[in-house]
């Protein structure tokens, strides 16, 4: 059953606060991997140099040369 609007707001706020608490205490990569392990849909915003150095992206051929005029 749907909670009352105020109750739902409190639940979402608690969830947001919990995620913020965890994110502030880990790297973006750690936060992403822990989220995956616990079925929490979070993503990692990686710096371009981190993406280019990532072994998984490199193994998939993520970066390719692009020729343009």
């Amino acid at each position: 059953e749907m909670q009352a609007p105020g109750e739902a707001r409190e639940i979402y706020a608690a969830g947001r606060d919990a995620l913020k608490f965890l994110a502030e205490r880990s790297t973006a990569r750690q936060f992403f991997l822990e989220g995956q392990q616990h079925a929490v849909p979070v993503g990692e915003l990686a710096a371009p140099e981190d993406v280019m150095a990532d072994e998984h992206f490199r193994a998939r051929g993520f970066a390719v040369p692009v020729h343009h005029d």
Side-chain angles (χ1 to χ4, degrees):
E1 182 174 313
M2 188 72 158
Q3 277 79 28
E7 185 178 3
R9 190 175 312 112
E10 289 177 22
I11 292 169
Y12 282 113
R16 183 187 61 241
D17 292 344
L19 290 173
K20 182 179 177 189
F21 177 86
L22 294 170
E24 290 174 343
R25 287 158 177 77
S26 61
T27 66
R29 186 70 174 165
Q30 290 169 327
F31 184 69
F32 170 67
L33 293 173
E34 287 287 325
Q36 282 189 324
Q37 290 176 358
H38 297 284
V40 177
V42 295
E44 175 186 8
L45 295 178
E49 59 272 15
D50 293 336
V51 171
M52 299 305 287
D54 184 279
E55 65 183 88
H56 296 102
F57 284 127
R58 291 176 64 185
R60 293 186 184 118
F62 179 76
V64 297
V66 176
H67 302 285
H68 56 86
D69 297 322

